[in-house]
Amino acid sequence: MGATEHGPEGSRRLGRGLLLLMSVATGLSVAGNYFAQPLLDVIGRDLGLSASTAALVVTVAQVGYGLGLLLLVPLGDLVDRRRLAVGLCAATAVFLTVTASAPDGTLLLVGTALTGLASVAAQVVVPYAATLAPPAERGRTVGTVMTGLLLGILLARTASGLLADLGGWRTVYWVNAVLMLLMAVALRLRLPVLPTPAGRGYAALIGSTLRMFADEPVLRWRAALGALSFAPFSVLWTALVFLLSGPSYGWSEAEIGLLGLVGAAGSLAASTAGRLADRGLVQHVSGIGALLLLGSWGLLALAGSGGPWPLVALLAGVIVLDLAVQAVHISNQNLVYAVRPEARNRLNSAYMTSYFVGGAVGSALTSAVWGAAGWGGVCALGAALSAAGVAVWTAERLRHRAVERTRQVEADASEGPAGAASTPGSASTGRAAR
C-alpha cells in the first residue's frame, strides 16, 4: 500500500509511516532555532559575548523564521510543494554548518538567521499534511504533525545540553546538519506530488498573502491570539537559562537541557486539541488554553528563589504553560485552515508570521527586562502578554456573538409580518432558547 490514497481534496489518506516522517521532519527543521537557548552562557563565554548579545541569538532565529514564513511558505501555493520542502531541508543543513563553524558572534548570528529562514520547511509540511487528510480527520492530523514540531522545539534543548557536554556547543549543530540532509532525502523519496495552483506570480502571491489580513476576520483575530500566546512561551524559555544557570539554581548546560523533557509533556495537548477540534469544540479549547496560559505565570512567579518547592512550582508552571500554548495554537490553525482551503499555504504563512513575530518580540523584551528586573520582572511581562491574549479571545467571542445576533434578527425580519403573525410568540421563545 502506498503512502497515500490519491483523489480529490480531502479524500487522500495519510499512511502512518508518512505521517510519522512528516512529524519528525517538522521537529528537526525547527530544532536548530532552539539549540542555543540552554547554551547561551557557554556560547557567550566561548565567543566573548555579553549576556544580552548572546540572548539575541534566540531573537535572530525567530526573526529569520518569521521572514521565511512571509517570503517562502507562500511558495507552496505556486511551486511543487515536495520540491520546496526538500530544498528547504537541504538549505537548513547548509546553514547549520555555518553556525557550527562560526569563529565570532557576527557569523554566529548570520548562520542562525539563515537557518531560521530555511527551517520554515516545517510550515510547508504542516499544510501539506492538512491537504492530504480527510476533513473529518484534519484536526487530528494537524495535531499529530504539530506534536512533532513542539517536541523538536522542546527536545532541542535537551539534546543540545547533552551533546554540548559530550563535544562542545558546536557538536549540536554539526549533528543536526547531518540529520537534516538525511531528512531531505527521505522526504524526496516519500512525499507524494500534489497539484499546484497556477496563474499568479511571486509578487502577486506575497501581495495576496498580506491582503488576507484585510479580507479574513478569522485570520486577524487568530493571528493576534497566536502572537500573544507564543510571546509568553518565548519569554519563559529565553529567561529560564539565566535563572537556572544563576546562583539560585546553579545548573549545568545538560541539566538545563533536561528541562525540555518536562516541557515536552505539553506536546500531548497538540493531539488532544486536534481531536477536540474535530468534535466542534475548538472555541472552548482555545479559551481554556488562554486562561491556563495566564494562570501558569502564578506558578512560575514562585520559582525565583531556588529550593525544592520553588523547583516544583517551576516544573508545574512549565508543563501548564506549554500545554496551554499548544491548545491555543492547534485551535487557531484548525480555524484558519478552514477559511480558504485552496490558499492554505498563504493562510499558514500569514498566521505563522504573526505567531513568530510574537515570539521574537517576547524574547527581545525578555533580554531587556531580565537585566532591569530579574525573574520577577520576567514573570510580570509573561503575565501581561498572556492577559492580553485572554482579552483578544474574549473580544473575538463577543464580536462573533454580536454578528450572530444581527444575522438572526435579519433572518427573523425577512420572514415578514405574515410569518410573525402565524406563529405568535415564536420570536421571543426562540430568543429565550438561545
Side-chain angles (χ1 to χ4, degrees), residues 353-426:
T353 298
S354 302
Y355 191 72
F356 276 88
V357 166
V361 170
S363 62
L365 290 174
T366 303
S367 301
V369 170
W370 175 265
W375 182 251
V378 165
C379 290
L381 171 63
L385 292 168
S386 302
V390 173
V392 166
W393 180 83
T394 303
E396 184 206 22
R397 299 313 303 147
L398 292 174
R399 176 189 175 278
H400 177 75
R401 290 172 184 173
V403 170
E404 289 300 311
R405 284 195 297 269
T406 300
R407 288 175 179 171
Q408 186 60 51
V409 169
E410 292 173 351
D412 291 344
S414 68
E415 294 177 2
S422 65
T423 56
S426 60

Side-chain angles (χ1 to χ4, degrees), residues 26-46:
T26 61
L28 286 177
S29 294
V30 300
N33 298 324
Y34 297 92
F35 284 140
Q37 286 191 350
L39 306 177
L40 293 177
D41 189 52
V42 68
I43 291 174
R45 290 198 305 268
D46 185 45

Side-chain angles (χ1 to χ4, degrees), residues 188 241 285:
R188 178 64 180 82
V241 64
V285 172

